[in-house]
Amino acid sequence: MEECPVTTTLQDAAANIMNSSFAIYQVPERTAETMREAWREATKILNHPLSPESKRWTRIVNGHLHGYNVPSPAKRLFRAFPSSNLQPWPTERFQQVSTDLANDLHSLLMECSKCLCMADCSESENTDPETTNDERDDTNPTPSKRPKLTQVDAQHCPLDYFFYHNLNPNTTNCSEHVDRGLLIAICLTDVPGLEILTQDVESNAMTWFCPEISIHNTNLYRETPTSSVSDLICIMAGRQLSQILNKEVPACVHRVRNKLRRARLSISYELRYPF
């Protein structure tokens, strides 16, 4: 996959996710500006090593991290649950822009998941009506046996700021994995780093594809002198998506490449059911 189509509607994004487990979506300008503001504020905080003061920004709530952490030698993390009253914040400004961004991305992913469910229902209605229950594949349960899509409580959905400082190119930044949530939004930057495992149409071989390299060749990528985050997000399928659909959609396998041009700040939001 050398090119990555950019969608401007969530209906098209949903179709791409059904086909390939991810989509590149151009967010509205208001959301793009919020992304840029959040990126700038997070850079001020994460661009420096752990300090005694930053310990006040870390809290464990019911076994879950809230705030600042160093999960590996390659990166620093600030995990925010903006709807939680127990969330620690370094500054009021960071709290405000993080809350605004989480609200925007939550709404976008909820709308995208509804589009996915509508497309799934349409496919179900087009199946052969004469097929009996005994003839159906039990490994693909009927919609009535699956959790129904409802408004996902934002208190279970993390907004993550990952800062890959790029101090040691031999250190693994982020190994390949899938996320457990329903849908995941990753804000794309001008430092190519996100890689997605895709299947080549012609050879059927599995290859790693970097959407940020692809979008640099399109006129929809808007880089400004004061920011390194674009107006594009990558929406990826998580493990929970197949639990609410009548069609199995593979979770998107992704990683962060080890050789980065420079330090990279990645923002992600995970729409996550508590189960």
Side-chain angles (χ1 to χ4, degrees), residues 50 53-70 77-81 84-90 95:
L50 185 68
E53 179 187 15
S54 61
K55 293 181 180 179
R56 298 187 291 107
W57 309 340
T58 303
R59 184 172 295 162
I60 302 298
V61 181
N62 296 325
H64 300 289
L65 169 72
H66 289 51
Y68 189 38
N69 189 30
V70 181
L77 163 67
F78 192 94
R79 169 160 289 186
F81 292 87
S84 171
N85 293 329
L86 299 176
Q87 174 70 40
W89 296 100
Q95 177 181 6

Side-chain angles (χ1 to χ4, degrees), residues 134-259:
D134 292 337
E135 293 172 331
R136 293 192 181 113
D137 184 358
D138 289 338
T139 63
N140 189 22
T142 59
S144 61
K145 296 180 182 179
R146 294 173 178 267
K148 294 190 178 193
L149 178 66
T150 58
Q151 182 64 37
V152 180
D153 193 335
Q155 68 174 331
H156 305 296
C157 304
L159 175 70
D160 286 335
Y161 298 90
F162 287 102
F163 184 77
Y164 302 93
H165 46 67
N166 204 37
L167 297 177
N168 185 354
N170 296 321
T171 302
T172 300
N173 282 319
C174 182
S175 57
E176 63 182 81
H177 66 285
V178 299
D179 293 323
R180 76 172 189 178
L182 181 68
L183 292 172
I184 301 90
I186 297 181
C187 305
L188 301 184
T189 80
D190 68 344
V191 182
L194 174 66
E195 292 185 326
I196 295 172
L197 190 62
T198 60
Q199 187 171 25
D200 184 81
V201 176
E202 295 182 359
S203 66
N204 289 328
M206 302 304 292
T207 60
W208 289 102
F209 167 70
C210 181
E212 286 157 319
I213 290 179
S214 177
I215 63 176
H216 271 291
N217 298 322
T218 75
N219 58 10
L220 288 175
Y221 186 87
R222 303 173 189 170
E223 181 182 350
T224 66
T226 57
S227 176
S228 293
V229 67
S230 75
D231 57 354
L232 303 178
I233 62 174
C234 179
I235 304 177
M236 303 186 302
R239 287 200 302 263
Q240 291 180 344
L241 183 59
S242 290
Q243 294 178 265
I244 69 160
L245 295 182
N246 191 40
K247 177 179 180 180
E248 296 301 321
V249 180
C252 183
V253 180
H254 58 287
R255 68 183 185 185
V256 175
R257 60 169 54 183
N258 291 338
K259 293 184 179 180

Side-chain angles (χ1 to χ4, degrees), residues 15-159:
N16 288 345
I17 292 169
M18 292 285 274
N19 291 331
S20 57
S21 81
F22 78 98
I24 306 301
Y25 173 71
Q26 184 180 20
V27 302
E29 181 55 34
R30 182 180 67 86
T31 300
E33 181 55 34
T34 303
M35 285 164 49
R36 289 188 279 267
E37 287 293 328
W39 187 94
R40 285 190 283 265
E41 293 300 316
T43 299
K44 296 176 186 176
I45 295 164
L46 294 173
N47 198 29
H48 307 286
L50 185 68
S51 66
E53 179 187 15
S54 61
K55 293 181 180 179
R56 298 187 291 107
W57 309 340
T58 303
R59 184 172 295 162
I60 302 298
V61 181
N62 296 325
H64 300 289
L65 169 72
H66 289 51
Y68 189 38
N69 189 30
V70 181
S72 80
K75 59 191 172 188
R76 303 171 195 137
L77 163 67
F78 192 94
R79 169 160 289 186
F81 292 87
S83 62
S84 171
N85 293 329
L86 299 176
Q87 174 70 40
W89 296 100
T91 67
E92 290 185 6
R93 179 59 181 163
F94 187 44
Q95 177 181 6
Q96 183 59 59
V97 295
S98 295
T99 301
D100 291 345
L101 180 57
N103 289 340
D104 283 359
L105 294 179
H106 190 90
S107 297
L108 285 174
L109 294 186
M110 279 302 306
E111 188 61 32
C112 186
S113 64
K114 291 176 182 176
C115 293
L116 284 162
C117 287
M118 289 176 63
D120 180 50
C121 289
S122 297
E123 287 191 9
S124 299
E125 291 173 359
N126 291 331
T127 56
D128 184 358
E130 296 183 359
T131 302
T132 65
N133 289 333
D134 292 337
E135 293 172 331
R136 293 192 181 113
D137 184 358
D138 289 338
T139 63
N140 189 22
T142 59
S144 61
K145 296 180 182 179
R146 294 173 178 267
K148 294 190 178 193
L149 178 66
T150 58
Q151 182 64 37
V152 180
D153 193 335
Q155 68 174 331
H156 305 296
C157 304
L159 175 70

